[in-house]
């Protein structure tokens, strides 16, 4: 398998302009600029060929923006000593331009600034690279795209223009397709980077490496031993703002994108190679001689009785939330992949806000061994767990003999905890990796238009039912596991929860 290395994408030179649209906003200060800072600090983007432009309507000077960002540029482990210097060098690269999102003048000024910077370089902009990062509400994407297309494209033949767009990409199938069409009329798919930051997480990226082993096995039934696969996202953050004021929040926010993408990487066949298009094809490729359907195409419609949505008690106390809001802050549902490999294996997706803990993980539960001679002494099932966050880890929960003279079983784990195993390694933030991929033109970890469409096809019928109150949120206590009905559903489809066993993460002290 030809594995693309970072160096495969490094051949481009010429000045690089990174334009953060919506520079005054929350995402820009918390994620986009800090990611750029860390890339700069590590030398992935260099002062000699990079300039960063912030653009938004707010009235600010360059220094106002720099001061606003300063507090979010935190030192990483081991670089405390040079931190202040690193920050100063980075902030010096930033220029702020104020302007509206739908008026020519703003983008004419932006283009003038970028061009002036390009002309100041040795190659006079002959290979200008322009990366536009949309840290903006999607409502302004169409007008901003028009403005960029009209005024701000790279003028050099050997350069490029790329746009990075944030979710939500629509609120259902129709609105998403409309947005895709509007953007698609102006930019080629190869210029559009639809970011799903879960695809940039270290352990999500590791899923493709597991494929190498999985994929070499024979077909037909070797997954028979896999009882259930559970994807969870539990968050204790209380979120009060309503996206679009629409129902179905947690589904649109987490399940339709982050968890579905992770599911694809787990369930898809091994791609032909690591080339970005091969990976994206595998997630969504169309029916191939009626033989193997890709993962997304093979997901069956979600059954009403395989969904539980919940809302934490107190959610409606927020003055911005209507008293009769049905908005789910929790959802669990079963997806079924109708293909040769996964027939009969329930994929349980679960996500919630205001939960007792904050974690995201993939849990593959194995079926009971037929004729288990230790039954009924062993009540727990073996599980393979990939903990995406916090404290990244891959571990196998399994039943072992308890050390000692007695033949007693106990649950334990084989554990690869990243913090312990890779003590010297700083795991990069998802946004760092994805921005670097954009600069390198690597679309592997970005959502292609056809993927997005199928993702919405899966969830839209359910979302519309929730929007019409045909599916009701059940209440759950803040700081709990979510509604009991969710556990009942998981149990109904065969998932066995282990009671009384808590995995204690290893300490950092090496023996
Ligand atoms: N914040 C986060 O952690 C995450 C955000 N996202 C997505 O990233 C994008 C940006 O998010 P975020 O930074 O939180 O958004 P903000 O609400 O902070 O908006 C960003 C900037 O856009 C401008 N803006 C806000 N509302 C409007 C409007 N109605 N019309 C025109 N301009 C507007 C404002 O700049 P000005 O008024 O100065 O022009 C604002 O500073 C969104 O698509 C969001 O869904 C995705 C994942 C996480
Ligand atoms: O996209 C989103 O993701 C965050 C969760 O991201 P994480 O990297 O902290 O797990 C979520 O809190 C937010 O609501 C959602 O829009």
């Amino acid at each position: 398998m030809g594995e693309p290395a970072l160096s495969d994408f490094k051949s481009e030179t010429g000045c690089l302009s990174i334009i953060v649209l919506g520079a005054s906003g929350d995402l820009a200060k918390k994620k986009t600029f800090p990611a750029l800072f860390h890339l700069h600090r590590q030398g992935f983007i260099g002062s000699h060929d990079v300039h960063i432009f912030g653009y938004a309507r707010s009235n600010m000077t360059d220094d106002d923006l720099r001061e606003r960002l300063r507090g979010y540029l935190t030192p990483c482990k081991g670089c405390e000593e040079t931190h202040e210097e690193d920050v100063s060098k980075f902030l010096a690269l930033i220029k702020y331009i104020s302007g509206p999102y739908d008026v020519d003048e703003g983008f004419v000024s932006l283009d003038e600034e970028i061009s002036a910077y390009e002309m100041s370089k040795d190659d006079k902009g002959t290979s200008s690279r322009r990366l536009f990062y949309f840290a903006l509400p999607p409502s302004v994407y169409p007008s901003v795209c028009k403005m960029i297309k009209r005024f701000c494209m790279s003028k050099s033949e050997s350069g490029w223009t790329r746009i990075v767009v944030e979710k939500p990409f629509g609120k259902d199938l129709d609105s998403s397709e409309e947005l895709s069409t509007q953007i698609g009329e102006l930019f080629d798919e190869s210029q559009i980077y639809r970011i799903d930051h879960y695809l940039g997480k270290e352990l999500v990226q590791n899923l493709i490496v597991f494929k190498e082993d999985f994929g070499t096995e024979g077909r037909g039934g070797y997954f028979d031993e896999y009882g259930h696969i559970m994807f969870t996202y539990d968050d204790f953050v209380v979120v009060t703002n309503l996206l679009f004021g629409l129902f179905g929040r947690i589904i649109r926010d987490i399940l339709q994108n982050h968890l579905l993408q992770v599911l694809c990487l787990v369930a898809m066949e091994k791609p032909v190679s690591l080339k970005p298009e091969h990976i994206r094809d595998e997630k969504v490729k169309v029916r191939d001689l009626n033989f193997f359907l890709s993962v997304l195409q093979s997901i069956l419609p979600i059954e009403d009785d395989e969904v539980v949505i919940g809302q934490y008690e107190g959610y409606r106390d927020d003055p911005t939330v209507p008293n009769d809001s049905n908005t789910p802050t929790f959802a669990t549902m079963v997806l079924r992949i109708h293909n040769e490999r996964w027939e009969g294996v329930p994929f349980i997706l679960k996500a919630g806000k205001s939960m007792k803990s904050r974690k995201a993980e993939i849990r593959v539960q194995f079926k009971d061994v037929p004729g288990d001679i230790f039954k009924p002494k062993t009540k727990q099932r073996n599980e393979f767990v990939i903990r995406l966050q916090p404290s990244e880890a891959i571990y196998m929960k399994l039943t072992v003999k308890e050390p000692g003279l007695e033949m007693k079983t106990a649950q334990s784990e084989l554990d690869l905890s990243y913090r312990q195993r890779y003590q010297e390694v700083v795991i990069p933030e998802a946004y760092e990796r994805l921005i670097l991929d954009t600069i390198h033109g690597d679309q592997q970890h970005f959502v292609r238009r056809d993927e997005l469409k199928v993702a919405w096809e899966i969830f839209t019928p359910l979302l519309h039912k929730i929007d019409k109150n045909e599916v009701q949120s059940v209440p759950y206590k803040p700081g709990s596991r979510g509604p009991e009905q969710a556990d009942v559903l998981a149990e109904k489809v065969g998932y066995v929860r282990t009671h009384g066993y808590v995995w204690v993460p290893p300490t950092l002290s090496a023996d």
Side-chain angles (χ1 to χ4, degrees):
M1 184 180 281
E3 195 170 325
L6 206 53
S7 54
D8 291 348
F9 297 101
K10 270 189 178 162
S11 51
E12 288 176 339
T13 52
C15 48
L16 171 64
S17 302
I18 300 176
I19 304 102
V20 181
L21 301 150
S24 55
D26 189 61
L27 180 78
K29 74 179 178 208
K30 288 188 186 150
K31 298 288 182 188
T32 320
F33 282 107
L36 291 172
F37 167 64
H38 289 293
L39 288 175
H40 182 256
R41 190 188 51 71
Q42 295 166 88
F44 286 110
I45 53 176
S47 296
H48 54 286
D49 60 2
V50 171
H51 210 63
I52 299 171
F53 300 87
Y55 185 94
R57 297 171 305 186
S58 301
N59 206 1
M60 276 192 286
T61 62
D62 294 347
D63 281 341
D64 290 341
L65 177 61
R66 291 173 186 148
E67 285 320 303
R68 196 183 178 111
L69 301 176
R70 190 180 285 277
Y72 292 90
L73 309 178
T74 50
C76 71
K77 200 174 79 181
C79 45
E80 294 83 357
E81 257 181 42
T82 58
H83 182 63
E84 287 310 315
E85 200 187 323
D86 293 340
V87 169
S88 303
K89 281 189 198 154
F90 172 74
L91 291 178
L93 298 175
I94 298 176
K95 171 137 201 67
Y96 180 71
I97 297 122
S98 167
Y101 300 112
D102 54 357
V103 175
D104 297 2
E105 285 71 32
F107 286 83
V108 169
S109 315
L110 177 60
D111 183 62
E112 282 168 2
E113 293 287 353
I114 303 170
S115 299
Y117 156 67
E118 290 172 347
M119 291 307 285
S120 73
K121 301 309 242 183
D122 291 345
D123 73 351
K124 305 282 179 225
T126 48
S127 53
S128 98
R129 297 173 290 159
R130 297 185 177 192
L131 189 167
F132 292 86
Y133 194 107
F134 286 43
L136 284 169
S139 54
V140 294
Y141 288 2
S143 69
V144 170
C145 284
K146 277 187 205 144
M147 291 292 146
I148 294 172
K149 185 74 184 186
R150 207 176 293 159
F151 301 109
C152 297
M153 301 294 279
S154 163
K155 277 114 193 131
S156 82
E157 275 183 20
S158 60
W160 47 252
T161 304
R162 293 177 187 148
I163 62 169
V164 180
V165 285
E166 276 283 350
K167 75 170 185 59
F169 313 116
K171 60 180 170 57
D172 59 10
L173 180 59
D174 288 349
S175 55
S176 167
E177 276 293 285
E178 191 185 335
L179 187 60
S180 290
T181 303
Q182 286 169 328
I183 298 178
E185 280 167 359
L186 298 164
F187 292 96
D188 185 74
E189 187 64 26
S190 64
Q191 297 176 298
I192 306 169
Y193 290 70
R194 294 180 196 84
I195 208 164
D196 180 319
H197 76 278
Y198 266 58
L199 292 177
K201 288 186 187 280
E202 182 66 33
L203 285 218
V204 174
Q205 301 226 326
N206 209 343
L207 293 173
I208 208 82
V209 179
F210 293 143
K211 281 261 146 324
E212 187 67 17
D213 289 339
F214 277 18
T216 52
E217 304 275 339
R219 290 228 189 287
Y222 86 92
F223 276 112
D224 277 359
E225 66 208 80
Y226 289 2
H228 312 87
I229 304 196
M230 171 98 97
F231 299 83
T232 54
Y233 167 89
D234 291 351
D235 200 341
F236 54 59
V237 180
V238 177
V239 175
T240 50
N241 61 320
L242 286 171
L243 274 184
F244 307 118
L246 274 166
F247 302 151
R249 187 182 197 289
I250 194 80
I251 301 174
R252 292 184 166 102
D253 206 23
I254 304 286
L255 281 92
Q256 183 271 347
N257 33 69
H258 304 328
L259 293 194
L260 190 68
Q261 284 295 329
V262 174
L263 179 151
C264 274
L265 289 173
V266 169
M268 75 185 195
E269 293 304 311
K270 178 179 154 180
V272 178
S273 82
L274 284 181
K275 291 210 173 88
E277 286 320 309
H278 285 159
I279 292 180
R280 303 200 310 173
D281 283 348
E282 207 52 61
K283 288 195 244 171
V284 80
K285 77 177 173 215
V286 287
R287 195 180 282 263
D288 179 7
L289 298 174
N290 279 341
F291 179 56
F292 244 139
L293 292 180
S294 69
V295 180
L296 284 172
Q297 301 278 350
S298 307
I299 294 177
L300 296 175
I302 301 165
E303 297 290 340
D304 286 357
D305 64 350
E306 296 205 326
V307 176
V308 172
I309 58 170
Q311 186 184 81
Y312 63 81
E313 289 167 9
Y315 177 73
R316 297 180 196 176
D317 296 347
D318 187 306
T320 62
V321 175
N323 290 336
D324 58 352
S325 167
N326 186 33
T327 299
T329 57
F330 173 97
T332 192
M333 64 189 66
V334 182
L335 296 190
R336 298 188 180 267
I337 303 176
H338 178 53
N339 69 14
E340 195 176 354
R341 193 183 285 288
W342 294 112
E343 193 72 55
V345 179
F347 285 72
I348 305 164
L349 267 53
K350 179 181 159 211
K353 296 280 182 184
S354 202
M355 306 290 280
K356 95 170 170 215
S357 60
R358 183 172 198 279
K359 64 177 189 309
E361 61 184 27
I362 303 163
R363 192 168 282 271
V364 180
Q365 186 173 87
F366 292 80
K367 284 182 183 165
D368 292 331
V369 183
D372 182 0
I373 55 173
F374 287 98
K375 285 274 171 194
K377 286 185 191 143
T378 50
K379 293 204 173 50
Q380 58 279 333
R381 289 208 175 141
N382 294 342
E383 283 182 349
F384 176 61
V385 184
I386 301 173
R387 158 113 33 120
L388 307 182
Q389 65 187 35
S391 307
E392 293 87 346
I394 300 171
Y395 61 96
M396 181 82 197
K397 271 172 67 173
L398 73 181
T399 304
V400 296
K401 177 185 168 301
E402 216 173 79
L405 292 175
E406 276 187 84
M407 179 51 88
K408 271 173 68 179
T409 60
Q411 190 134 29
S412 190
E413 65 286 321
L414 299 173
D415 159 37
L416 172 63
S417 272
Y418 272 45
R419 250 194 291 168
Q420 189 191 44
R421 177 69 182 79
Y422 303 112
Q423 292 186 25
E424 300 308 318
V425 179
V426 177
I427 295 183
E429 265 278 316
Y431 278 93
E432 283 172 47
R433 193 187 311 260
L434 295 174
I435 292 176
L436 192 59
D437 284 349
T438 311
I439 296 169
H440 291 152
D442 182 353
Q443 291 187 302
Q444 176 179 162
H445 303 296
F446 293 83
V447 182
R448 206 166 60 187
R449 180 174 174 174
D450 50 357
E451 268 177 74
L452 179 63
K453 180 166 183 272
V454 188
W456 279 118
E457 279 167 2
I458 294 166
F459 287 96
T460 295
L462 171 64
L463 286 165
H464 284 173
K465 283 183 195 165
I466 298 173
D467 289 349
K468 286 190 257 165
N469 279 346
E470 288 169 15
V471 180
Q472 287 291 330
S473 291
V474 289
Y476 64 94
K477 296 245 171 297
S480 70
R481 291 176 45 79
E484 264 177 43
Q485 290 88 329
D487 284 338
V488 173
L489 172 62
E491 204 177 311
K492 191 185 90 183
V493 298
Y495 183 77
V496 177
R497 238 181 97 206
T498 310
H499 293 275
Y501 163 76
V502 181
W503 179 58
V504 183
T507 63
L508 278 178
S509 60
D511 289 335

